[in-house]
Amino acid sequence: MSRVHILATGGTIAGTAPSPVDPGYRSGGLGVSALIDGVHGLRSVATLTGEQFSQVGSQDMNDSLWLTLAARVNALFTANEADGIVITHGTDTAEETGFFLHLVVKSQRPVVLTGSMRPATSLSPDGPLNLFNAVSVAADPQARGRGAIVAINDDLHSARDVTKSSTTDVQTFVSPGAGLLGTASYGRIRYFRHPTHPHTGDSEFSVESEVALPRVDILYAHANMPADLVRASASLGAQGIVIAGVGNGNVPTEVAQALADVASSGVIVVRSSRVSSGDVGRNIELDDDGLGLVASDQLNPQKSRVLLQLCLARGLQRGHIQDAFYRY
Ligand code: ASP
């Protein structure tokens, strides 16, 4: 049997509610042993080990936890202590943690994130089957070389493409444009494709050398957006700003000017979009060349932030950062 190590970080999958029908709950309360013991037949899928990495709602995931998590995953694989790793995680920011690991884990072995929308004590929890499927993927040699995978609600997504689309639906994860990596049905796995963008060993990013990630802020654009938010972000120390623009990454004219001003003083500005699908291209309605901006291409604001942090930590300049947004 494959050896699968579970790193439990918290989230709703480990959440507990006062009653099975109470919509209010506390994230992350259950420990990793309770999670494993709560899934019928899990120990017949793989030789399991578990570790309590953290016990947070994923709204409290941060750069420091990401760095430690990535280092732990790399160390487990380097020491050949696991054939695959499952990370139980809150659904709110799983797409960001997943994309970070997709870029900085240096192994072909599977890293599979899973979570749930309903707490473990719910009348009808979704966590146990999600964990069963995630362990099945992590134990599967066919999962190797596909980067970080999010396994949830019978679907397998590339961590690069996946995003949360509903605040409450069990079927919340989608991969707009890219589509599913595969499916999982009671541990029976089917793959449809490999990720097409470089990841893990083919990514130029690694975290061993980085001690801290630079501050990158996300600003949300809207009609009447005030331009001074941009200057505030820069003066608070942001080395990068991702703008969740309207439509194709657009912003009001005064905001565009403020972005150009901070860009000329060295802040890297990436234009992404608050729209949930589609690309943000260069020089469409805004003159990126003249304003000194980077277009996010296919990455949403929260994933753009992850990539920009890694680019800045690596010391890449604006032109190379634009290349990275096309490449990754
Ligand atoms: N707030 C929770 C979290 O991300 C939601 C969930 O896990 O579904 O940790």
Side-chain angles (χ1 to χ4, degrees):
M1 274 206 297
S2 298
R3 300 159 303 155
V4 173
H5 190 70
I6 300 178
L7 290 166
T9 71
T12 300
I13 191 166
T16 48
S19 93
V21 290
D22 193 329
Y25 66 95
R26 192 170 69 86
S27 233
L30 284 186
V32 65
S33 309
L35 284 185
I36 293 172
D37 294 343
V39 183
H40 174 83
L42 194 59
R43 289 188 188 280
S44 65
V45 177
T47 303
L48 289 178
T49 44
E51 177 179 337
Q52 197 68 50
F53 175 82
S54 62
Q55 259 176 305
V56 296
S58 70
Q59 55 271 41
D60 284 322
M61 270 288 154
N62 56 40
D63 296 353
S64 150
L65 286 170
W66 280 349
L67 290 166
T68 319
L69 184 61
R72 182 71 187 125
V73 169
N74 279 322
L76 283 160
F77 285 146
T78 304
N80 190 24
E81 288 177 25
D83 300 308
I85 291 175
V86 168
I87 299 172
T88 57
H89 197 290
T91 60
D92 289 352
T93 64
E95 64 191 271
E96 287 148 86
T97 303
F99 187 45
F100 183 74
L101 296 172
H102 192 65
L103 294 176
V104 302
V105 165
K106 297 299 165 197
S107 173
Q108 295 273 305
R109 300 183 193 194
V111 176
V112 186
L113 289 89
T114 194
S116 76
M117 291 298 285
R118 297 178 183 146
T121 54
S122 157
L123 186 62
S124 176
D126 51 327
L129 184 51
N130 287 341
L131 184 54
F132 187 87
N133 282 330
V135 169
S136 304
V137 175
D140 181 9
Q142 297 295 317
R144 291 172 73 108
R146 294 181 205 262
I149 296 172
V150 173
I152 196 151
N153 207 33
D154 292 0
D155 289 337
L156 309 183
H157 300 265
S158 168
R160 176 190 183 272
D161 303 317
V162 71
T163 190
K164 187 173 183 178
S165 70
S166 165
T167 53
T168 52
D169 278 1
V170 167
Q171 177 48 32
T172 183
F173 283 98
V174 293
S175 291
L180 293 178
L181 207 58
T183 56
S185 174
Y186 298 101
R188 283 176 284 276
I189 315 297
R190 301 177 68 192
Y191 301 97
F192 305 151
R193 64 182 182 91
H194 276 88
T196 46
H197 297 76
H199 56 79
T200 54
D202 294 329
S203 146
E204 71 200 78
F205 303 107
S206 84
V207 288
E208 275 86 28
S209 50
E210 271 98 50
V211 283
L213 295 171
R215 174 169 171 165
V216 172
D217 292 348
I218 299 176
L219 298 180
Y220 197 94
H222 52 87
N224 290 302
M225 179 187 184
D228 51 9
L229 286 177
V230 173
R231 285 182 276 271
S233 180
S235 64
L236 285 168
Q239 294 175 43
I241 294 175
V242 174
I243 182 95
V246 296
N248 198 341
N250 291 316
V251 290
T253 305
E254 310 78 63
V255 175
Q257 191 49 56
L259 292 173
D261 291 346
V262 300
S264 70
S265 69
V267 176
I268 302 294
V269 177
V270 174
R271 289 192 307 107
S272 181
S273 178
R274 67 180 197 176
V275 179
S276 57
S277 66
D279 306 347
V280 171
R282 278 192 75 75
N283 303 319
I284 307 295
E285 286 190 66
L286 284 168
D287 175 17
D288 292 303
D289 293 344
L291 297 168
L293 310 179
V294 172
S296 71
D297 193 29
Q298 296 180 331
L299 297 179
N300 69 20
Q302 52 273 32
K303 293 197 192 206
S304 296
R305 177 177 177 273
V306 169
L307 180 57
L308 183 52
Q309 283 186 297
L310 289 170
C311 288
L312 290 168
R314 196 165 155 70
L316 299 185
Q317 301 301 308
R318 192 164 65 216
H320 288 120
I321 293 176
Q322 180 64 75
D323 292 344
F325 273 81
Y326 288 134
R327 186 165 149 75
Y328 295 100

